[in-house]
Amino acid sequence: MRTTIARLLSAVMLLWLLSAASVASAAIWDSVPDEQLKALQLERSATPKQLFEALSTRWKANLNKGKFAKWWEPIAMDQYFAPSLFYKSEGPDIETTREQCVQCHTAVTHGWVKSWEKSVHARLGDIRALPDSDNRAYKKAIIAEVEDNLRAQGKLAAGTPLKEVACIDCHMGVGKTSGNHKTELHLPSRTDCGTCHIKQFAEAESERDTQIWPQKQWADGHPSHAVDYIANVETNTWAALQQREVAAGCTACHYNQAKCDGCHTRHEFSAAEARKPEACATCHNGVDHNEFEQFMLSKHGTIYQTHGAKWDWEARLADAIGKGGQTGPTCVMCHME
């Protein structure tokens, strides 16, 4: 009897060790493709912190003014299209606290504050309190994932829940309590968002590693959101334009490589907004790339226009058909997995 129990315990222990080894070997999310890990020289067993550092290093190295840099100068609007390259704060030279950001901007830029107050960033407690039956409940797991990412980077104390994501976290640094408005303020870039949302950062950046053309019709990674800024400034006709305002018209769409608010706009950063075809239409429209018009005039678009108001856009994309009540495909359903 004792021998049998001992064997059972040994078997259980072996299974536990195999399970632990399996978890350890799958530290990086499955949605991060093998091609990307190979390009970053990482194993699947790497930590999220290592993934973020590799992604951020490569992103910074690949975002620049291009090979024609000496032939053109940015205009004021460029600092908002590629903030990590050009933005310089013109704000007051004062020390400000986390609380003062909201207090001041409630009077100065009321719309920004109202959008933020509606966001998940400002209402983490409300999301945590949702019943599992609510279609937004999946966001609780995302909050936990963000907390784990921040703890791994030493930006959130062990066992301490993330209270909110406020102005200062995105514009000065995650977890800061105060900072100088003139010297420390910056506009968030892709890597700033990626500090918290490492998996999403990797998924977005993976386009440059998986968009490979068998007959070399395009360079690797092209065309995609992950390289759209450098594809813009590397074009000699764009760089040669004497009227920089005209060139900036191209950058008005070719900035997704630089930041994340092209699809889910600041300061609400709504996933529901980003899922709607109109979000894609900001860029994918017009004579030279009329994808939005084609979609809206298709049967898919007809279904969206006649029934879309009844769909629950807060449901997770994977649950859109089912929990969300969606009865036809939209842009993101086919193009964003």
Side-chain angles (χ1 to χ4, degrees):
M1 183 68 177
R2 289 180 179 176
T3 302
T4 302
I5 292 174
R7 287 175 178 173
L8 285 172
L9 288 173
S10 297
V12 170
M13 182 61 71
L14 178 61
L15 287 172
W16 181 85
L17 289 172
L18 289 172
S19 175
S22 176
V23 170
S25 66
I28 300 301
W29 302 274
D30 291 340
S31 59
V32 178
D34 293 335
E35 296 92 333
Q36 184 176 35
L37 293 177
K38 181 179 179 181
L40 295 172
Q41 298 182 332
L42 292 176
E43 298 294 332
R44 182 67 61 178
S45 58
T47 65
K49 180 176 184 289
Q50 290 172 321
L51 176 61
F52 170 73
E53 290 173 346
L55 286 167
S56 184
T57 298
R58 184 176 70 168
W59 177 85
K60 290 175 182 177
N62 283 275
L63 184 68
N64 54 70
K65 287 179 62 178
K67 60 188 177 185
F68 301 107
K70 67 179 181 179
W71 301 109
W72 66 276
E73 290 299 328
I75 61 172
M77 194 64 191
D78 283 307
Q79 65 182 328
Y80 299 100
F81 293 141
S84 61
L85 296 179
F86 304 119
Y87 182 76
K88 293 182 180 179
S89 174
E90 297 180 355
D93 188 6
I94 58 172
E95 287 291 319
T96 183
T97 66
R98 172 179 289 268
E99 294 74 22
Q100 287 173 331
C101 295
V102 177
Q103 293 168 3
C104 184
H105 281 278
T106 297
V108 179
T109 52
H110 187 58
W112 297 357
V113 177
K114 295 305 292 183
S115 291
W116 171 75
E117 287 176 345
K118 291 168 59 181
S119 73
V120 172
H121 285 164
R123 296 170 23 293
L124 299 183
D126 293 345
I127 298 298
R128 290 190 179 100
L130 290 174
D132 291 341
S133 58
D134 193 292
N135 277 351
R136 298 166 295 169
Y138 76 93
K139 295 180 181 181
K140 291 190 282 187
I142 296 178
I143 294 173
E145 180 184 290
V146 167
E147 290 173 334
D148 289 341
N149 290 340
L150 293 177
R151 292 186 187 114
Q153 298 173 75
K155 296 181 181 294
L156 184 68
T160 302
L162 187 64
K163 181 182 178 182
E164 66 176 7
V165 180
C167 316
I168 199 169
D169 294 302
C170 299
H171 289 280
M172 289 190 183
V174 178
K176 288 181 70 70
T177 56
S178 64
N180 186 280
H181 200 292
K182 187 173 183 65
T183 60
E184 296 182 69
L185 185 73
H186 63 270
L187 295 185
S189 66
R190 227 183 215 213
T191 189
D192 287 313
C193 299
T195 304
C196 294
H197 300 285
I198 299 176
K199 180 173 74 171
Q200 291 77 9
F201 182 29
E203 290 170 353
E205 283 290 294
S206 70
E207 289 182 327
R208 71 170 75 231
D209 302 307
T210 56
Q211 194 85 325
I212 308 300
W213 298 89
Q215 297 176 344
K216 302 301 179 183
Q217 301 97 314
W218 295 82
D220 291 352
H222 294 255
S224 76
H225 298 115
V227 296
D228 62 355
Y229 184 80
I230 200 68
N232 188 30
V233 298
E234 290 281 0
T235 305
N236 54 6
T237 52
W238 181 90
L241 284 170
Q242 293 180 327
Q243 292 178 294
R244 298 315 308 160
E245 294 82 358
V246 176
C250 303
T251 320
C253 281
H254 285 258
Y255 63 73
N256 293 281
Q257 182 180 352
K259 56 203 186 97
C260 298
D261 61 4
C263 299
H264 26 71
T265 49
R266 54 184 187 270
H267 288 85
E268 190 172 345
F269 299 107
S270 167
E273 175 195 340
R275 284 182 49 199
K276 294 184 178 181
E278 287 84 352
C280 306
T282 305
C283 295
H284 294 276
N285 72 85
V287 176
D288 52 346
H289 34 58
N290 61 344
E291 293 87 1
F292 177 68
E293 292 87 344
Q294 292 180 52
F295 169 79
M296 293 296 275
L297 293 172
S298 72
K299 281 301 179 185
H300 294 163
T302 300
I303 294 170
Y304 163 67
Q305 293 178 81
T306 53
H307 300 290
K310 301 175 185 177
W311 300 344
D312 186 353
W313 295 93
E314 291 291 350
R316 181 169 51 186
L317 180 59
D319 299 327
I321 294 179
K323 289 183 179 180
Q326 191 165 326
T327 54
T330 55
C331 314
V332 295
M333 182 166 286
C334 297
H335 291 283
M336 303 300 286
E337 300 188 42

